[in-house]
């Protein structure tokens, strides 16, 4: 098994302090409010631990996003220990949220999961007083560790060793665990991409063989996991290794895999090019989704002549594919529109002139234009080295953009020196107003009129203003 990034190993090793009577003492900086919750539970005579992702991240030297606590106390016993500040947020799963200072700590009773009829939800959960039972229901060894107030680590499945080696391994039989809950398949790929860990061989076999079960997972959950996967620093490596698994939820990607471009501009097939571009773009959801999908339409648009392969019209086809995928995964409209616009525009040339950049600004706005520059940059970095000549041009475009913004150049109706009201006073009515405003803006952006009230009103007064 190969380690994608050996960094994790050194962090884990550095954090291990000593070995005491077969159990390890480690150094975890549990935040004070969490400590105080664990303390109250222990004083009540129960066991209490930090568990799961926060232990994993602490051992890796990362700052955990949230701290989950697990306890032998039953939910009603936890509620009784925190009168007035405990809320039954997920009682059927044994979860009580405790308010402690400014923090909310989720406290979950040790539990084991019953059978799974639907690869999604356990049919029942059973509470238990044993920590090890609770750890055994967790997905991966690196997520199945607990630490108590005395920094005592409980690690029954070798999670620490796997962290050190950078390995994702199922707790128990991978096929059984993935068929119980198919979301674990995507969680596995997401952790692999985010932590740069490799997937242990049996676990990899298990997730491949269970991949069809992913079709039963709610779109919103697939969306969350895929976005986290794409934003991982090792996303390209994970996608390269498991295209058929990701292809179960994104079948539109599969035609790209191995698709020869027959083009001197490209040294990679469409999929490899996409992965190289993905590596080159900042890890931000809109950018990563746009780059993943920017060439998805290429296979359908392929033609070939004596000059080589062509993909005429592929940005529009890719944008349609992106739109369909993002709708299916129930993305919000803003994200969907941003991604599809970037995909549609990724191959358009934006002239490196003030006029060219002002026009692009008028159509896209500053945020989208800057994102487009990132997408184009990444796209170019994914091409054959001798054709990575676009980078200088893109830099020049950004300089012009920065210059225009410092000069407060006009590129939107908001900035135009006349308003709809001014035009109404001139006698414009209804839809004429919008048409006239857009015409004036176009003229200003093109440099044909100055953005000055008198000049704009006088242009609008011209008899043939709306007819030309
Ligand atoms: P992060 O919060 O960084 O996304 P995490 O590992 O903390 O990662 P959570 O979704 O917060 O993930 O879950 C907390 C813990 O609960 C996990 O570490 C794991 O032990 C367990 N867990 C979560 N989802 C599953 C699942 N589908 N199957 C089994 N165990 C799970
Ligand atoms: Mg978590």
């Amino acid at each position: 098994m190969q380690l994608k990034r050996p960094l994790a190993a050194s962090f884990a090793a550095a954090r291990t302090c000593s070995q005491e009577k077969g159990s390890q003492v480690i150094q975890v900086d549990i935040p004070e409010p969490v400590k105080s919750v664990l303390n109250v539970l222990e004083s009540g005579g129960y066991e209490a631990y930090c568990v799961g992702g926060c232990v994993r991240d602490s051992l890796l030297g990362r700052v955990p996003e949230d701290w989950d606590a697990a306890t032998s106390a039953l939910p009603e016993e936890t509620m009784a220990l925190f009168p007035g500040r405990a809320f039954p947020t997920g009682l059927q799963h044994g979860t009580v949220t405790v308010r402690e200072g400014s923090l909310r700590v989720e406290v979950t009773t040790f539990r084991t999961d019953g059978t799974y009829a639907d690869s999604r939800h356990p049919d029942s959960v059973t509470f238990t007083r044993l920590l090890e039972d609770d750890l055994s229901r967790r997905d991966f060894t690196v997520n199945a560790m607990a630490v108590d107030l005395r920094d005592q680590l409980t690690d029954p499945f070798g999670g620490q060793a796997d962290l050190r080696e950078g390995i994702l391994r199922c707790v128990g039989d991978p096929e059984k665990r993935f068929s119980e809950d198919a979301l674990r398949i995507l969680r596995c790929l997401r952790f692999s991409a985010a932590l740069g860990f490799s997937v242990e061989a049996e676990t990899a076999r298990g997730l491949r063989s269970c991949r069809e079960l992913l079709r039963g997972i709610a779109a919103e959950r697939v969306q969350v996991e895929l976005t986290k996967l794409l934003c991982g620093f090792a996303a390209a490596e994970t996608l390269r290794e498991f295209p058929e698994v990701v292809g179960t939820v994104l079948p539109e990607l599969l035609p790209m895999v191995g698709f020869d471009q027959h083009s001197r501009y490209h040294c990679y097939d469409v999929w490899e090019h996409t992965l190289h571009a993905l590596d080159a773009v900042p890890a931000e959801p809109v950018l990563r989704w746009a780059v993943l999908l920017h060439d998805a339409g290429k296979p359908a648009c392929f033609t070939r002549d004596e000059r080589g392969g062509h993909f005429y019209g592929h940005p529009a086809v890719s944008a349609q594919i992106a739109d369909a995928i993002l709708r299916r995964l129930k993305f919000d409209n803003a994200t969907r529109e941003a991604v599809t616009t970037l995909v549609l525009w990724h191959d358009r040339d934006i002239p490196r002139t003030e006029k060219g950049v002002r026009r692009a600004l008028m159509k896209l706005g500053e945020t989208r234009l800057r994102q487009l520059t990132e997408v184009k940059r990444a796209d170019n970095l994914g091409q054959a080295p001798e054709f990575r000549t676009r980078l200088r041009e893109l830099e020049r475009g950004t300089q012009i953009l920065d210059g225009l913004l410092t000069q407060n150049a006009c590129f939107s109706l908001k900035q135009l020196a006349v308003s709809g009201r001014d035009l109404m006073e001139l006698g414009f009515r209804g839809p004429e107003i919008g048409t006239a405003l857009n015409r004036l803006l176009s003229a200003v952006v093109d440099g044909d009129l100055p953005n000055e009230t008198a000049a704009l009103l006088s242009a609008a007064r011209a008899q043939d203003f709306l007819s030309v």
Side-chain angles (χ1 to χ4, degrees):
M1 213 22 45
Q2 271 199 337
L3 180 63
K4 287 181 184 173
R5 293 286 184 281
L7 257 188
S10 52
F11 279 134
R15 289 248 144 191
T16 303
C17 291
S18 65
Q19 193 103 26
E20 278 182 1
K21 296 182 198 132
S23 64
Q24 288 208 303
V25 175
I26 55 155
Q27 202 191 331
V28 174
D29 298 323
I30 305 176
E32 282 308 320
V34 180
K35 276 190 187 165
S36 135
V37 169
L38 297 187
N39 242 321
V40 171
L41 286 159
E42 282 197 353
S43 311
Y46 303 104
E47 286 182 37
Y49 302 87
C50 288
V51 70
C54 56
V55 180
R56 177 200 68 221
D57 288 343
S58 297
L59 287 168
L60 285 174
R62 298 178 167 215
V63 179
E65 268 182 34
D66 46 26
W67 290 81
D68 294 320
T71 181
S72 58
L74 292 170
E76 55 273 24
E77 293 170 333
T78 304
M79 296 281 295
L81 284 173
F82 301 93
R85 57 194 183 101
F87 307 92
T89 41
L91 269 197
Q92 71 280 30
H93 294 115
T95 304
V96 169
T97 302
V98 176
R99 207 179 53 220
E100 179 66 45
S102 59
L103 218 72
R104 276 157 208 275
V105 184
E106 290 210 337
V107 181
T108 304
T109 303
F110 298 156
R111 61 172 226 233
T112 54
D113 295 342
T115 51
Y116 286 70
D118 62 355
S119 300
R120 273 179 300 186
H121 310 106
D123 301 326
S124 62
V125 304
T126 309
F127 298 134
T128 158
R129 300 281 185 184
L130 290 178
L131 170 66
E132 297 215 357
D133 288 347
D134 182 81
L135 294 177
S136 71
R137 73 163 169 94
R138 294 175 183 272
D139 46 10
F140 307 107
T141 60
V142 295
N143 286 344
M145 292 184 275
V147 68
D148 70 9
L149 279 171
R150 289 155 297 284
D151 284 344
Q152 189 94 5
L153 181 77
T154 306
D155 174 20
F157 306 105
Q160 239 205 142
D162 284 344
L163 261 192
R164 202 171 288 135
E165 306 270 315
I167 291 176
L168 287 162
R169 183 197 311 271
C170 279
V171 172
D173 173 48
E175 246 182 67
K176 177 166 173 285
R177 303 311 311 284
F178 290 130
S179 2
E180 283 169 359
D181 177 3
L183 187 72
R184 290 172 189 154
I185 297 172
L186 287 184
R187 282 176 58 86
C188 187
L189 300 193
R190 180 256 278 202
F191 288 123
S192 160
L195 304 173
F197 281 18
S198 48
V199 182
E200 174 274 329
E202 278 299 304
T203 301
R205 231 191 312 282
L207 64 81
R208 285 198 174 96
S209 74
C210 294
R211 65 182 188 269
E212 291 299 321
L213 295 172
L214 277 175
R215 296 184 198 282
I217 299 295
E220 292 85 347
R221 307 184 80 184
V222 172
Q223 179 209 118
V224 169
E225 293 301 330
L226 285 181
T227 302
K228 287 186 179 172
L229 189 170
L230 288 177
C231 291
F233 77 90
E237 280 181 76
T238 302
L239 292 173
R240 183 175 290 119
E241 197 174 347
F242 298 101
E244 75 284 33
V245 180
V246 181
T248 319
V249 278
L250 297 177
E252 294 88 345
L253 300 182
L254 294 174
M256 290 196 269
V257 181
F259 197 97
D260 190 336
Q261 311 211 47
H262 296 283
S263 158
R264 64 197 183 97
Y265 300 111
H266 285 281
C267 53
Y268 305 119
D269 66 41
V270 180
W271 180 236
E272 262 310 310
H273 158 71
T274 300
L275 298 182
H276 278 82
L278 202 64
D279 257 341
V281 85
E284 191 271 311
V286 164
L287 295 177
R288 289 277 165 119
W289 273 103
V291 168
L292 179 74
L293 301 174
H294 77 287
D295 277 350
K298 269 192 168 178
C301 296
F302 182 68
T303 55
R304 199 175 172 186
D305 60 21
E306 61 290 345
R307 287 181 298 131
H310 307 285
F311 301 95
Y312 300 120
H314 80 272
V317 178
S318 301
Q320 276 170 10
I321 293 174
D323 187 72
I325 289 174
L326 300 180
R327 279 179 196 277
R328 190 172 73 229
L329 295 183
K330 301 204 159 64
F331 270 89
D332 58 286
N333 291 342
T335 305
R336 180 168 50 78
E337 279 161 23
V339 172
T340 49
T341 303
L342 293 171
V343 172
L344 186 66
W345 278 68
H346 83 264
D347 216 21
R348 291 191 195 173
D349 188 45
I350 295 174
R352 271 76 54 202
T353 59
E354 292 210 342
K355 180 169 158 179
V357 176
R358 274 201 306 261
R359 282 218 143 257
L361 264 175
M362 177 174 73
K363 296 211 167 118
L364 297 171
E366 183 194 347
T367 305
R368 199 74 69 246
L369 183 54
R370 289 201 190 275
Q371 287 174 326
L372 181 64
T373 308
E374 295 285 4
V375 169
K376 282 172 155 293
R377 203 175 156 272
D379 191 12
N380 197 231
L381 283 168
Q383 292 188 353
E386 62 273 30
F387 293 104
R388 291 179 197 163
T389 48
R390 280 287 164 89
L391 303 177
R392 289 259 288 284
E393 296 172 7
L394 289 168
E395 232 161 79
R396 178 76 198 114
T398 301
Q399 281 168 359
I400 297 174
L401 170 62
D402 291 340
L404 286 171
L405 292 171
T406 347
Q407 293 161 31
N408 218 357
C410 169
F411 58 88
S412 69
L413 288 180
K414 256 198 338 241
Q415 299 165 292
L416 201 63
V418 297
S419 67
R421 190 175 292 269
D422 297 327
L423 292 180
M424 277 167 84
E425 280 172 16
L426 287 188
F428 287 82
R429 290 289 170 264
E432 284 175 1
I433 299 171
T435 313
L437 283 173
N438 280 313
R439 238 173 229 206
L440 292 172
L441 177 62
S442 242
V444 170
V445 164
D446 285 349
D448 297 336
L449 282 175
N451 188 25
E452 289 162 11
T453 314
L456 296 177
L457 289 180
S458 127
R461 261 192 223 104
Q463 249 191 354
D464 56 354
F465 178 65
L466 280 182
S467 51
V468 271

